[in-house]
Amino acid sequence: MSHVVYKKAHCLGGQTLNQYRTEQMSEPRWKYAKQNLGITNSDLDSNFDFINSAVLNRDANNQLLLTTTGLFGPIRTGTLIHLDPLSANQVIQSQQAPVNPEADLITKLNKLHDEHTGIPPSNDLALCVNGFWTSATNGAGITGLDGSANVFGSTGQLICDVDELNFPLLTYGTTCESQHTYLDTLAYYGGTLLAPKEEFALGFSQDLWGIQYDQKLPQYITDYQFSAKKAGGLFVEHHPFPHIWLPSQGKDPAFGNHTVSRILLGRRLDKTHEDSYYRPVTIQQYHFTMFEIPLDGSALAIRPQCIHNDSFTEGAQTVFLANTPANTVALRHSAPINKMSAGGTSVSHLEE
């Protein structure tokens, strides 16, 4: 859920912008979003094409599995803010200006990433996979997918050398040891946990908009993401803007479930060796770890270009995004990989 491709407007002659917007917002995908508008009318008017393209439904077997349930923000460049999932607009503007531009969130995230480059997580904290990442722009685009499967417009492929993926799942926990392990592993990927109502200046050149998506598990993964005719495989992606995920509290509006936020993060690390003819051969390797976000008002933030996926989340959570290019691929072997688990729990049992 990140970059969006603008919907093409097919307006009849004489249709006003207000009429067009009213028509768009009457579509079923806007059912919950327009009941939970945490943005001003002027911001909605000024950014309608972008926001409209981020509002979507995804279904399989005549069952709604993902829908947009709220719009918030934006996080504006050059401002100091904090996040509150219980506020009408989850982005709370500070009365103070940022003091030190070099202490912005992106600078902090990049520093964490660089400091942990030489100390990768152990095998029990990160799954290592050999694979070949080839984007849609390089000719690997998967054809025949559902029209709303990828907000980027096209999906490439990450061809893995295995057909089963067992992702370690880390929780923040109550002990100092578990919290340290969680934060240290998260830092390896260029991520951090924002404490409830922690103030920060983003340090990005564009505004980030909060789009709240509501997902139903396990069907959203098993029936939609894994389907060769829907999503073509579980996606992972990266892009030039940072992501922030803020889970909801209480039951979600569309499916009536309590939110469980699980974010999958990845990092590429290449392995080089010589073949039998003494030629250098580079194998693409990827580390993957899943992180569960505490439901106490905390948020999870990642640096620009961090590989990620948020499909394992059940219920509603807000993801903050900007309109930039991006690179999305589906995890595949000879077909979409559909044998996956999170912390030892099979995808098909994640709702339990």
Side-chain angles (χ1 to χ4, degrees):
M1 300 302 172
S2 357
H3 171 86
V4 297
V5 177
Y6 288 170
K7 290 173 63 70
K8 294 182 179 179
H10 301 285
C11 300
L12 299 175
Q15 187 181 40
T16 67
L17 287 176
N18 283 337
Q19 289 171 333
Y20 168 68
R21 292 168 186 172
T22 299
E23 179 184 87
Q24 290 291 299
M25 293 178 68
S26 66
E27 294 182 358
R29 60 193 175 91
W30 273 90
K31 175 182 176 181
Y32 296 100
K34 63 185 178 183
Q35 298 173 10
N36 197 15
L37 289 177
I39 59 177
T40 65
N41 287 330
S42 60
D43 277 334
L44 180 61
D45 290 344
S46 300
N47 300 274
F48 185 78
D49 282 342
F50 173 74
I51 293 172
N52 184 46
S53 297
V55 176
L56 52 85
N57 283 347
R58 289 176 179 166
D59 59 75
N61 302 320
N62 298 315
Q63 184 179 15
L64 180 66
L65 301 177
L66 177 146
T67 187
T68 308
T69 50
L71 301 169
F72 308 100
I75 299 175
R76 301 191 191 277
T77 180
T79 61
L80 188 65
I81 65 101
H82 72 266
L83 303 176
D84 184 351
L86 301 180
S87 174
N89 184 350
Q90 297 180 355
V91 179
I92 312 301
Q93 179 72 51
S94 172
Q95 298 299 315
Q96 305 296 321
V99 176
N100 181 6
E102 295 182 356
D104 62 58
L105 182 59
I106 289 181
T107 299
K108 176 183 177 180
L109 295 171
N110 285 333
K111 183 179 180 181
L112 288 171
H113 173 273
D114 294 345
E115 289 175 346
H116 288 75
T117 293
I119 44 176
S122 59
N123 292 337
D124 60 327
L125 300 177
L127 172 68
C128 187
V129 179
N130 294 334
F132 182 68
W133 184 304
T134 178
S135 66
T137 57
N138 290 330
I142 305 172
T143 60
L145 301 183
D146 181 48
S148 64
N150 184 356
V151 291
F152 294 95
S154 57
T155 299
Q157 303 180 59
L158 176 51
I159 306 299
C160 302
D161 65 348
V162 294
D163 61 1
E164 184 171 352
L165 299 171
N166 302 308
F167 301 116
L169 174 63
L170 301 187
T171 58
Y172 189 61
T174 58
T175 67
C176 291
E177 181 180 1
S178 67
Q179 293 172 6
H180 175 78
T181 299
Y182 182 102
L183 294 175
D184 204 44
T185 309
L186 183 56
Y188 169 75
Y189 294 99
T192 192
L193 196 65
L194 297 173
K197 299 184 179 180
E198 177 181 342
E199 288 193 329
F200 63 91
L202 185 63
F204 191 62
S205 58
Q206 299 181 32
D207 294 343
L208 261 63
W209 296 88
I211 315 295
Q212 187 182 82
Y213 292 106
D214 197 348
Q215 302 175 176
K216 184 177 183 180
L217 293 187
Q219 296 94 328
Y220 176 58
I221 298 179
T222 59
D223 297 355
Y224 190 91
Q225 290 290 326
F226 287 169
S227 170
K229 295 300 183 181
K230 289 291 184 176
L234 186 88
F235 79 92
V236 291
E237 66 189 22
H238 61 82
H239 39 60
F241 63 88
H243 252 333
I244 303 175
W245 288 275
L246 179 66
S248 294
Q249 297 181 10
K251 291 188 176 181
D252 68 80
F255 306 117
N257 296 322
H258 288 281
T259 295
V260 180
S261 174
R262 308 179 189 94
I263 306 300
L264 178 67
L265 300 184
R267 181 168 178 174
R268 176 173 169 173
L269 58 160
D270 292 344
K271 180 179 180 181
T272 302
H273 68 280
E274 290 184 341
D275 65 9
S276 57
Y277 292 95
Y278 304 102
R279 297 172 299 187
V281 178
T282 299
I283 299 175
Q284 293 181 17
Q285 290 189 323
Y286 296 86
H287 272 156
F288 290 104
T289 305
M290 195 175 298
F291 300 86
E292 186 171 308
I293 306 177
L295 301 179
D296 59 357
S298 297
L300 192 150
I302 57 171
R303 70 189 290 265
Q305 303 297 2
C306 176
I307 298 169
H308 59 274
N309 167 279
D310 53 15
S311 297
F312 290 83
T313 291
E314 180 172 23
Q317 77 176 349
T318 301
V319 55
F320 289 88
L321 54 91
N323 186 30
T324 74
N327 193 333
T328 306
V329 294
L331 294 171
R332 298 167 70 90
H333 187 57
S334 57
I337 299 175
N338 56 22
K339 295 179 181 178
M340 294 187 187
S341 63
T345 301
S346 171
V347 166
S348 61
H349 295 94
L350 283 179
E351 84 286 3
E352 297 179 358

